């Protein structure tokens, strides 16, 4: 039997290499992003931050670049303590499932365009910089895996057999489930504009039209951004970290490597949220004047330039996440929920209808280039009107003043038993 | 043909016995035997199904199928409802993987979103909120183990018989007419624009069905809100007395 091994193995080896590179890069990036986060925190709080750990046994500090390694070693050498009252199997399964889901999302996230690499057995096809290039359901796949992440939260809280952990798990999973809806509504507008569920198509569409989706759909972008913050459990939505009320939320009972898995997973959620924001709304690897023409055969410098543009954008968005962390106080749980259901959901629906209307009547708006700019104008108009309406009509979800009706309940009136009652809240 | 029916029947009988041993019946005895019997029976059934012919694809397929089947067995075999739910989730992931493997991308991912992401999470919420301190004994038992084992085994056996006879006798009456030829398959399910085709199909040919289903769900949603609002009203009244 004459088997053409290169033809058989190349389609296997190329994805395996991509997966290895991706996982290695992600875990390293997560470690160094923690260092960046601590630097940002120090900068905002006007202190120095971690700057001592360099090469051991020398006096080289290297701005503290050895800190992630030291942090990792510390986590590894911490006592791996499993409390006796937990449900052991689920206690171990929870961090594994949440991390596995967080890493698996990256299978459909492009981290560049293509590499013009002519490998044997690939028929001269350039290497697409995405682990699963042919998957036509990319965005639903992202949703499927983010709903798997809920399992880690619920199981972690329940298996801990601790009331704080359990309440924290319920609260976090309710948050994740609630904010999936505005997240989906934000994505739906982009899907309508792109006509495909593939993330790489979304970039290509924006690169071809040279107008980023954030310009056409500012309302969809803001809804998606807020929902992405909530899904990644970052401030102002970081209820799992609510030390004051629930000690540590769903990972109260965790320590050592298992806690590290949870923390890495939370960090990767932020990274994937940044990737999605950049890919769906900020043009992916496209930048005006740098990456034209979009679909031409790319050379090596152009391919690397596209990767660099994408990664720089992602890094900027991650930095934005970190600045927000030290700029905004945490929402209370009821504020968080009313923001999701009473503000973000209607705004998302308005955006979806506006986008659908613009694309339905795009022919009436004029020539393709000109019509697009009119679409941009309509998009900003809708965003402005919807924003004002939300500001006037929506509940005061960020109002932290004491509630007057709770402090001074209406007096009981015997002749009208029901109406004089304090509101049962 | 007769020899094959005999082998499949024997495997079905072994499977029924194994399932009966596996099901939580109150006595813990014999569950290892049950797992062994079920594995043997599934092995016999699987050995009758012809392979796909492409080695890496076959390995992937058997891993996915094995995970799906074993976690399905574990779903019914485990005593704690929470564990059953988790195994069920794994089985759903395997099913989604099998659908992806077959090229039905949307079905595969939608299975995970709808079943594992929405329905099973609701199950988990209910299980965890309803039983904070241990499980009730009636939740740890299988209710009709003999009937359940027999029905399940018969279902698996019959399905295997259908599949195997389709493959082994090309002219048997059981073989259905091929609904698609290869070119059509490439154009629809396996095309690059899989989702666009599906969406166009749903919102043109099946528009009425989609709208009716959407209205039905909306009605259910409104009904739920109405029921919840009704339940909350007595609470207001109750607090007025207190």
């Amino acid at each position: 039997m004459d088997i053409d091994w290169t033809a058989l193995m190349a389609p296997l080896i190329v994805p395996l290499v991509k997966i290895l590179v991706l996982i290695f890069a992600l875990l390293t990036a997560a470690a160094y992003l923690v260092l960046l986060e601590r630097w940002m925190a120090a900068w905002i709080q006007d202190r120095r931050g971690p700057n001592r750990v360099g090469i051991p046994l020398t006096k080289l500090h290297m701005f503290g670049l050895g800190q992630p390694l030291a942090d990792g070693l510390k986590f590894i050498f911490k006592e791996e303590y499993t409390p006796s009252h937990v449900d052991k199997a689920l206690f171990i399964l929870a961090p594994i499932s949440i991390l596995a889901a967080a890493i698996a999302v990256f299978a459909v996230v492009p981290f560049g365009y293509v590499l013009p690499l002519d490998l044997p057995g690939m028929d001269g096809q350039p290497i697409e910089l995405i682990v699963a290039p042919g998957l036509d359901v990319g965005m639903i796949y992202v949703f499927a895996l983010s709903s798997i992440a809920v399992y880690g939260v619920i199981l972690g809280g329940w298996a801990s057999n601790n009331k704080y952990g359990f309440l924290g798990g319920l609260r976090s999973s309710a948050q994740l489930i609630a904010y999936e809806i505005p997240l989906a509504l934000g994505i739906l507008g982009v899907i309508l504009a792109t006509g495909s569920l593939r993330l790489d198509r979304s970039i290509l569409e924006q690169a071809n039209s040279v107008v980023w989706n954030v310009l056409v759909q500012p309302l969809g972008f803001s809804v998606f951004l807020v929902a992405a913050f909530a899904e990644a459990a970052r401030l102002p939505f970081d209820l799992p970290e609510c030390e004051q009320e629930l000690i540590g939320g769903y990972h109260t009972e965790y320590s050592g490597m298992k806690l590290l898995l949870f923390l890495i997973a939370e960090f990767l959620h932020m990274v994937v949220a940044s990737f999605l924001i950049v890919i769906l709304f900020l043009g992916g690897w496209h930048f005006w004047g740098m990456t034209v023409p979009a679909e031409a055969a790319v050379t090596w410098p152009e391919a690397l330039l596209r990767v660099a543009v994408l990664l720089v954008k992602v890094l900027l968005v991650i930095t934005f996440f970190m600045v927000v962390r030290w700029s905004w106080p945490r929402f209370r749980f009821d504020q968080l929920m009313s923001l999701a259901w009473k503000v973000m959901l209607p705004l998302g629906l308005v955006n979806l209808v506006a986008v659908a209307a613009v694309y339905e009547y795009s022919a009436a708006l004029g020539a393709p280039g000109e019509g697009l700019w009119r679409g941009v104008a309509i998009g900003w108009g809708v965003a402005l009107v919807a924003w004002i309406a939300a500001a006037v009509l929506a509940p005061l979800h960020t109002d932290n003043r004491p509630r007057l009706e709770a402090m001074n309940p209406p007096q009981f009136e015997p002749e009208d038993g029901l109406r004089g009652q304090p509101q049962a809240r | 043909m007769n020899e094959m029916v005999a082998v499949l029947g024997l495997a079905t009988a072994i499977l029924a016995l194994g399932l009966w041993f596996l099901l939580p019946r109150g006595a813990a005895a014999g569950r290892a035997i049950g797992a062994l019997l079920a594995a043997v029976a599934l092995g016999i059934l699987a050995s009758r199904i012809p392979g796909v012919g492409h080695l890496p694809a076959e390995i992937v397929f058997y891993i996915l199928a094995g995970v799906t089947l074993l976690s399905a067995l574990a779903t019914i075999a485990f005593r704690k409802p929470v564990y059953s739910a988790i195994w069920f989730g794994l089985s759903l992931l395997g099913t989604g993987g099998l659908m992806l493997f077959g090229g039905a991308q949307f079905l595969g991912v939608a299975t995970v979103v709808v079943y594992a992401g929405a329905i099973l999470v609701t199950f988990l919420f209910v299980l965890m909120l309803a039983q904070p301190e241990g499980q009730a004994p009636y939740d740890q038992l299988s209710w009709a183990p003999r009937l359940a084992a027999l029905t399940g085994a018969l279902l698996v056996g019959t399905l295997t018989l259908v599949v195997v006879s389709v493959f082994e006798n090309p002219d048997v009456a059981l073989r259905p007419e091929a609904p698609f030829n290869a070119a059509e398959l490439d154009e629809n399910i396996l095309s690059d624009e899989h989702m666009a085709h599906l969406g166009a199909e749903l919102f043109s040919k099946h528009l009425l069905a989609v709208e009716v289903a959407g209205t039905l769900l909306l009605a259910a949603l409104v009904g739920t809100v109405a029921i919840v609002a009704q339940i909350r009203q007595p609470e207001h009244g109750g607090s007025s007395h207190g």
Side-chain angles (χ1 to χ4, degrees), chain A residues 20 76 84 95 101 111 116 122 140 203 227 231 255 278 290 296 303 322 341 352 368 390 395 406 425:
Chain A
L20 281 183
I76 290 170
S84 60
F111 46 99
M122 293 295 285
I140 313 182
I203 302 179
E231 286 286 309
S255 63
V278 167
M290 285 173 78
M322 289 172 180
W341 294 103
L352 184 63
R425 281 209 174 187

Side-chain angles (χ1 to χ4, degrees), chain A residues 8 12 87-90 93 134-137 140-145 147-148 150-151 154-155 158-159 161 166 169-170 173-174 177 180 195-198 201 412 417-418 421-424, chain B residues 54-56 80 82-83 85-86 89 92-93 100 105-106 109-110 112-113 115-118 120-121 124-125 127-129 131-132 135 191-196 232 235-237 239-241:
Chain A
L8 195 63
L12 281 181
D87 188 329
K88 281 232 172 57
L90 297 182
L93 178 70
L135 201 62
D136 199 30
V137 288
I140 313 182
Y141 176 84
V142 172
F143 273 99
L145 284 172
S147 57
I148 299 296
V150 179
Y151 280 80
I154 300 182
L155 288 182
W158 188 79
N161 196 8
F166 183 56
L170 281 184
S173 47
I177 292 171
E180 261 176 32
S196 169
L197 288 167
R198 288 170 59 166
R201 287 282 161 80
F412 183 67
L418 276 179
Q421 276 312 296
Q423 290 291 311
Chain B
H54 183 254
L55 187 66
K80 288 186 183 172
V82 174
Y83 277 74
I86 297 299
L92 285 171
L93 280 183
L100 273 180
Q105 298 181 355
F106 177 73
V109 184
V112 177
V113 172
Y115 282 94
L120 202 56
V121 168
L124 272 183
F125 264 115
L127 288 176
M128 290 174 176
L129 285 174
Q131 306 170 327
Q135 289 83 27
S191 89
D192 271 359
E193 303 270 305
H194 176 84
M195 280 306 299
R232 283 189 65 167
E235 264 178 33
H236 278 260
S239 71
S240 78
H241 297 294

Side-chain angles (χ1 to χ4, degrees), chain A residues 325-344:
Chain A
R325 173 168 182 182
W326 303 108
S327 322
W328 210 301
R330 181 180 301 143
F331 282 130
R332 233 173 27 220
F333 189 63
D334 62 320
Q335 294 173 333
L336 176 122
M337 279 297 159
S338 74
L339 183 68
W341 294 103
K342 295 178 184 165
V343 181
M344 286 302 147

